[in-house]
Every structure is written in C-alpha cells, then in structure tokens.
Amino acid sequence: MENNRLLSLRSASVGYGNRDVLRDYSLDVARGELLGIVGRNGGGKSTLVKALIGLLPLRTGSLTFYDRQGQPSIRPSIGYLPQLNRIDRAFPIQVGEVIGSGLTGYVGGEEPSVLLQRAATDLQIADLLPRPISDLSGGQLQRVLLARAIVSCPELLILDEPNSYLDESAELLVCEAITQRHKQGATILLISHDRESVGQQANRIISLD
C-alpha cells in the first residue's frame, strides 16, 4: 500500500469538548480501494469521517493525502454523503439544486448539466429534479444526497450509512451506483453499523468497536 496510498492518518486524536472520541488512531487508505468502516453507533465512525473531510480538526497527529506518484499532495476531490438525520428537510431547496451543489468548484471537461442529469438518471430520480426536498420520502432524499456526492466524479467518496431509509429495490440501485463509481476508479469509504451489508461490497473492513 505504501506506493499506492491515497491518504494516511497517523497517531490522530479527535473529539468534541474535553472528550477524545478517537485517540492515537492511524489509518491508511489505498487509491482505488473500497473500504468498509463498521462499528456500533457512537463508536467514532462519523467523527472519523469529519476528520477526513476537514470538518473536525485533529488535536494531535497528522493527515496526509498523496498524488498518483506517491508524493504528499493537496486534498483530493471528495464526494460526501452525510447521515440523513443531519439534513434539514424543511429547507426551501429543489432536488436539482441539491445535486448541483455537488458541482461547486468543478473544473472537469464535461458540462455540469450533463453530469447532473447522469447522476439523477443513474439513481432514478430525474423526475424529481424540480421538486422541493420537503416533498420527498426518506429513501428518495437518500438517493438525492448520493447523487450530490457522486455528481462531480470525485476521487474520494465517503458515504455515511448509504443504505439508510432504502427499500430493497432502492438499496440495489444505490449499490449499483457505488460499484459503478468504484469501477471508474474512485476510492470509496463505506461507513456503517451493518457489517454484513458492507461486507458484500468492501475489499477490506476495519472496525471502530
């Protein structure tokens, strides 16, 4: 993994207030890996995610990202799916605007409108684009948020409980979308309390229990 790392977290401590949720924690993620991170609720999974995407500063330790030549680099493009219960569903915004927000800062070659339509079509929510998110079911909103995470084709996808609120058919659709992005070269972190579900997709599983 040494020559193919995407990120390396070393001896990191992170937490809230006076409490460390993770202490002296280290993690390497290989470029192109599909890594499952499992554990009980409150075990530190979401705290780790926030540290990796820069929402929560490290108290100690270091977080280093690497380019394709194995040299320390700036943070790669990241697509993030937060837990659904953290979303304000009363906020007055349409589905298309939510997905489009994932294209902020996008500098690739494809037209943003094409990328948006593709992500919506892949997750079978193209018909929902003009609707406000307050009209959506939990499963529909989960697919909208995943579309926002994948729309810019980021190098790193961090998906926190991606199967929440999904029925069987929607779960299969989401699984297919994740698999497709992985085949296209994305590095993916699947965060879940459900080890069995993650185990069906991940190349490697680590536990924060």
Side-chain angles (χ1 to χ4, degrees):
M1 183 182 294
E2 182 92 13
N3 295 326
N4 194 35
R5 287 180 298 185
L6 178 69
L7 69 85
S8 181
L9 188 66
R10 283 286 173 269
S11 302
S13 295
V14 61
Y16 310 90
N18 296 321
R19 183 172 71 94
D20 284 341
V21 177
L22 297 174
R23 182 178 298 169
D24 196 28
Y25 186 77
S26 296
L27 171 69
D28 284 321
V29 178
R31 186 176 296 276
E33 184 171 20
L34 204 167
L35 174 65
I37 301 177
V38 301
R40 59 179 175 79
N41 292 333
K45 301 186 302 298
S46 293
T47 299
L48 174 60
V49 167
K50 290 178 181 178
L52 294 178
I53 64 177
L55 290 179
L56 199 59
L58 301 183
R59 293 176 170 175
T60 62
S62 64
L63 172 61
T64 307
F65 293 95
Y66 298 89
D67 62 20
R68 293 184 181 277
Q69 287 70 49
Q71 299 301 310
S73 178
I74 61 173
R75 189 183 303 272
S77 56
I78 297 176
Y80 172 48
L81 172 69
Q83 289 189 28
L84 190 60
N85 59 14
R86 302 180 187 277
I87 303 301
D88 180 5
R89 299 178 63 175
F91 190 80
I93 188 171
Q94 294 179 339
V95 167
E97 294 174 303
V98 172
I99 300 174
S101 68
L103 289 164
T104 302
Y106 173 72
V107 293
E110 290 195 80
E111 286 292 327
S113 59
V114 173
L115 291 171
L116 193 156
Q117 189 66 41
R118 181 186 301 155
T121 299
D122 285 350
L123 289 161
Q124 297 183 10
I125 50 174
D127 59 321
L128 302 179
L129 290 174
R131 290 174 58 179
I133 62 171
S134 57
D135 283 358
L136 305 183
S137 68
Q140 288 172 328
L141 182 54
Q142 184 76 336
R143 283 184 283 156
V144 169
L145 295 175
L146 178 58
R148 181 184 67 176
I150 68 175
V151 67
S152 66
C153 304
E155 291 182 71
L156 175 60
L157 271 174
I158 301 179
L159 310 177
D160 200 350
E161 301 286 358
N163 292 330
S164 298
Y165 299 92
L166 300 179
D167 60 24
E168 186 174 346
S169 60
E171 188 171 337
L172 179 61
L173 195 65
V174 165
C175 180
E176 290 174 348
I178 293 171
T179 299
Q180 180 185 33
R181 265 51 186 191
H182 184 234
K183 288 179 179 178
Q184 292 169 351
T187 303
I188 301 177
L189 273 58
L190 290 180
I191 320 298
S192 181
H193 66 280
D194 185 351
R195 188 183 186 96
E196 181 178 352
S197 175
V198 169
Q200 295 173 5
Q201 291 181 273
N203 307 131
R204 178 168 66 106
I205 295 178
I206 62 173
S207 176
L208 286 180
D209 283 335

